[in-house]
Structure formats: C-alpha cells, structure tokens
Amino acid sequence: MDLLDMRRILLSTGNLVYRFELEEIAEMAGNAGVYGLEVVINKRIVEMYEKTKQGLFNLKTLPVVSLHAPYHIIHSWGTLKYELLRTIEIAKKGGIELVVFHPPLNPLLQPSFWKFFKSVEDFKKLGEEKVAVSIETLPRSMMTKFSCTPQSIYKWAVEKNLAVTLDCTHIASWGLNPLEALQYFGSLVRSIHLNNTHDCHIDSHLPPNDGCLDISSLLSYINEHNFYSNLDLVLEINFHLKNRNEIGKIIRDAVEFVELHFN
C-alpha cells in the first residue's frame, strides 16, 4: 500500500441518501476514484437501518469506513447520548473503523448530552479498541462561541482520549485557515472534512477545489509529513439538487484535485 492509499479519500453521504440508495452513492463515488464512504446517520438512514439492520452497510461497491453519529434527535433512536452509543455499537458490529460526532453545543441547550459527554473519561473504551471515536470541530456561532472553541476541542480530545475530525469550513469560521488548524491539532487529527466556502463565516460546504480557503497548502503540507499518512480525507460537499452526472463530475474533479498534491 503506497502513501496515497493510506491517505484515503472518502465521500460523505450527507443528504444524498434522500435521493439515492447507499449503493447508488457508492457507485457514483467509486466511479470517481473514491475509496469508501462516511455515512451520515440521519432520519433517512435510520429508516433504512430499521428495515435492513447491519446489512445496510454491507455494500458491493465500496466499504463504509466511517459513520457520522446524528447531531439532531431522531426520536426512534432516543437522545443524542443514546444515538452516539448506538452508532458506536453499530460500527463495532459491522467492522466500521471510525465514528465521528458533534460535541454538545453548550450545557444550557443540551444539558443531558453535555452531562454524559463530561462524564466519559475515556472514549476509546467505548470503542473497545475496535472503533476510533472522533470529535468534530464545529463552526463558530452564538451557540458554540463559548463552549466549542478550537481550544475546547483540543482539551477534550487530549483528556478524553478522542481523535479529532477537522472540518475545513467549520474551523475557518474561528479565523483559522485549515493548515493552521492542522498544525494546531497535530497528531490528534484522524480525518479531515475536506470542503471549501466562498465566505469564511458561511458553512457552505463547497468542493475543496472551489472557494476562498487555501486547501492546496493544507494538502501539500500533509504530503510533506509522513506522520499524516493515516488520514481519511472526506469530501463533505453539499450537492443541492444536482443530477447524477453533475454529482459524478464534482466528485471526480475533487478527487483529481486531492491526488494532484500527492503525486
């Protein structure tokens, strides 16, 4: 396995699941050169899971490498706490390597999830050495600016044995460019949500090759430092209502953009 293979390019399923089956998304991604999927657990995925259980993630085309735990309450799955625990359990049963989750916004808005999050001393134990658990950097907003700062994410990752998922547009809203953020979090970073934006204060999730953020410098830095060889680079793109051909081209262009920096 060469270095590029170790830095795997994944596609986040996002809201595509409301228009396409998982296997269809995998086919589009595989044809564009993507290694695997990060499946976002939303209402649609929960509906499909309740019908097919673990078989939902056994795809013919690509592996499901990562699950993104719900960040809204899906009533059939209970509270954010139980949604996260259930996502980790599904990952363990299915041999899925990574679970990404959003930390609680603050103790006033999400008191029960905040209490649970603060009570866990070692998230690695929840994964039982089978699944890595990664905390995602959130965008700056009225709800997060005092509780989910980059400094808080770093502190929690160290204290609670968490990996970090660096979201490029989220971190830019704090006044950090993605490269500065990668250097700040260092070896804690397990995956990167590779996206871009036209405005650092808007969470627009454009392709990495389209926008004002300097993603090229980030990728070049990763290429120059072998200790970042095990990163998953997740294309987290908002495709809106584009058709299948348009989506395929956007993914292909993004993959080619990433590979250009690693060849």
Side-chain angles (χ1 to χ4, degrees), residues 9-184:
I9 301 173
L10 310 182
L11 177 70
S12 170
T13 59
N15 287 327
L16 287 176
V17 295
Y18 288 99
R19 294 198 290 138
F20 304 99
E21 297 297 323
L22 275 183
E23 196 67 69
E24 292 179 281
I25 298 169
E27 288 174 3
M28 285 188 280
N31 290 337
V34 168
Y35 173 85
L37 298 183
E38 176 169 292
V39 176
V40 178
I41 309 292
N42 52 26
K43 186 174 184 292
R44 177 61 180 146
I45 290 294
V46 167
E47 289 172 354
M48 290 191 287
Y49 181 81
E50 293 305 322
K51 293 178 181 178
T52 61
K53 300 302 180 185
Q54 290 294 140
L56 177 64
F57 305 115
N58 297 329
L59 304 179
K60 298 175 183 177
T61 311
L62 294 179
V64 174
V65 176
S66 175
L67 297 179
H68 195 306
Y71 42 89
H72 300 296
I73 293 176
I74 303 168
H75 293 291
S76 62
W77 270 28
T79 64
L80 288 170
K81 167 187 173 180
Y82 290 109
E83 288 177 336
L84 174 56
L85 292 174
R86 190 164 187 180
T87 303
I88 294 171
E89 192 62 29
I90 289 170
K92 286 190 290 190
K93 289 180 180 177
I96 298 170
E97 302 171 21
L98 182 67
V99 167
V100 179
F101 77 102
H102 287 187
L105 298 178
N106 64 51
L108 296 178
L109 286 174
Q110 297 172 334
S112 62
F113 189 41
W114 180 273
K115 183 179 180 181
F116 162 73
F117 175 73
K118 296 291 283 186
S119 72
V120 179
E121 296 181 357
D122 188 349
F123 274 88
K124 202 168 186 177
K125 289 182 179 179
L126 292 182
E128 297 179 353
E129 306 295 329
K130 298 176 183 177
V131 177
V133 183
S134 187
I135 186 171
E136 181 179 343
T137 58
L138 297 188
R140 189 180 191 275
S141 69
M142 290 297 293
M143 295 181 288
T144 63
K145 66 179 182 179
F146 299 115
S147 54
C148 294
T149 65
Q151 293 78 14
S152 296
I153 299 293
Y154 184 96
K155 178 174 178 285
W156 289 332
V158 172
E159 291 180 351
K160 296 178 176 295
N161 213 355
L162 283 159
V164 170
T165 293
L166 172 63
D167 187 294
C168 292
T169 62
H170 289 178
I171 205 67
S173 67
W174 296 92
L176 286 172
N177 68 52
L179 175 54
E180 290 173 330
L182 180 65
Q183 292 169 332
Y184 175 70

